[in-house]
Amino acid sequence: MSTDTDRNESRGTRRARIALLVGFVALTTAVIAAHRSPARSYELSIYEATPLLFWGGVGVAALIGVGIAVRGPASRRIGQAATLLAGASVLSVASLPILRGYYFYGKGDPLSHLGWARMFEIGALHPAGMRYPAIHSISVLLSSVTGLELRLTMMLTVAVFFLVFLLFVPLCVAAITDTGPAIAVGAVSALLLMPINNLGTHAVAYPTTQAIMFAPVVLYLAMGYASDRGDHRRLIGNATGVGLLLALSTTAVVLLHPQQALNLVGAFVLIATLQYLYRRLGRDHPIAAHRRLYAQSGLFALVFLLWSARLERVYAAAAAIASGLLSASQPGGAVASRASSLTLLGGSLEEMFVKLFGVSLVYAVLAAVLAVAVLAGGVGRIDDDGTAYLEYLILTGVPAAGFFVVFLLANAKTQYFRYHGFLMAIVTILGAVALTVGIDRLRGVRGRSVLSGALAIAFVAFLVLQAVAFYPSPYIYQPNSQVTEAEVDGYSAALEHRNESTAFAGIRSGPRRFIDLHYGTTTPAAERISWRRYVVPQGHFRNGTVESAFDGPTYVPVTEADVERETVLYEGFRYNEAGFEQLEQEAEIDRVQANDQFELYLVDPNASVGG
């Protein structure tokens, strides 16, 4: 009997190794296929423009990796290899703009951040003069060390933070419960990258996103500090190595983004308060025996206050929120506005919710069930320390949930989705713990292999659902965030050779971000430009009367991205195809600059027909 069992295990191990080999070959083939198919121009959908071979290879690799990891391989090394394969598959998707040779990825805020980073690089701005200088400083450091262009190292920095999230979520799960599938389930759950919602958090150089991706590092170190992990390596007095790392990590998250750091400051204060209450009341609970977080909380709060109190933007933001709360504006007005636009485009708010938050809702339910079980008295298969960590995590979500409600009531555009992103980082860990406990309980159930296979298929389905909504695309009624070299060159030439008395007006948005990129975000040259946010009135554009929209000569830049977005994705909802054609036909409009993806028109309402 033993011989038959050993033979079956050996056969199963051999099959797993062969499958993993196939998976790694498929992934390698996919990466090569993507790299050999660089973007030649603007792509409205990164999904459609990427070779099918990439998606097929990544799909095979993810299916094999997740399947083996979740089903519980006989060999630990095979389990680790399967987790690595699944992680590398998702990371390749997250790094797709780099693999496809995008000049830069991230319109809007990321262009401004690249402008800030360039100011750091040339010494025009000191990091201390900025609210959140971390990703800019990291990008500049990587550029100086590797010799790569700053735009590339900023994209690499984004990928590195995704990798940090993928590494530390499973570590947090394993710290809570050490049952067999903890690492695998934690890793696969992290691969879903649920904090990215493309409303308040994005897969670009966006400090809010990077701070959220870093949050599991702080949480993991806080767990280790609370249980005195590494206590035998004291440095000075009561200071330990893990305590020093925790202090450094909390400082780092303040530099990444103070808004997200405030969530953790509030969480630390709540956790320290809970520890105090357990000690004060003399309760027989593991939290009473944990190392107190008082000093770390005080240090964290002090660093946050010292860094944030000097920033005018902090006071302005607080005043804006207070004003929003006192006004009679409708909560969630930005979402309501988007809902009406979606209806006109043939979509619906319910459809978008399923696409963006369907998988997140499943994990939120799992996290809620686990939280109720913990508060009701504990969870089997999780020891006392693990239960205490779960209580800490539940408290960690409280400040972010509170801020979410406040920003929603204040109708602060879509900023409340930033707090949703932070909450989903917590939900990812809690949901993974719930799944780990559930899988562990199936060990003695008949047909466990069938259930494990079904769970693996469910995970793969979740990965697919999350992956197709990871990047902005027509699937979620958003344009690709690709920035082409021709677009940057076109704006740079236009800004350099412009008539300084002539304003610019953009399609849907003004040239502000490209001004930030070209001149630097806070340079005197940029701040002297008063027309940074000017746009072409859509009514005049649709009616072909752009020349009557302005009082004086105005530059109107039009990019290939503008045309694709407005005529293909939005089907002329604001700016129609006839309006773009009219730019070439009106006597008062001259094309003064062009490359294959950028055209600059000079609109002069005073020009004569015969001129």
Side-chain angles (χ1 to χ4, degrees), residues 241-266:
V242 71
L244 176 61
L245 289 174
L246 179 58
L248 290 175
S249 71
T250 53
T251 301
V253 81
V254 171
L255 299 179
L256 281 166
H257 204 293
Q259 187 182 45
Q260 296 301 329
L262 185 57
N263 294 328
L264 289 168
V265 170

Side-chain angles (χ1 to χ4, degrees), residues 219 222-223 226 267 271 274-275 286-288 290-291 387-397:
L219 297 174
M223 292 178 194
I271 291 170
L274 184 67
Q275 290 178 328
I287 289 181
H290 274 180
R291 189 173 188 182
T387 302
Y389 296 155
L390 287 174
E391 292 188 31
Y392 292 160
L393 279 176
I394 293 168
L395 284 178
T396 300

Side-chain angles (χ1 to χ4, degrees), residues 442-487:
L442 294 176
R443 283 184 174 179
V445 176
R446 182 178 298 179
R448 174 180 176 271
S449 60
V450 176
L451 291 172
S452 296
L455 185 61
I457 292 173
F459 269 127
V460 172
F462 285 173
L463 280 173
V464 172
L465 291 172
Q466 288 295 103
V468 296
F470 182 71
Y471 290 111
S473 73
Y475 174 72
I476 56 173
Y477 301 96
Q478 292 184 11
N480 187 11
S481 291
Q482 175 192 6
V483 179
T484 66
E485 184 174 8
E487 190 175 7

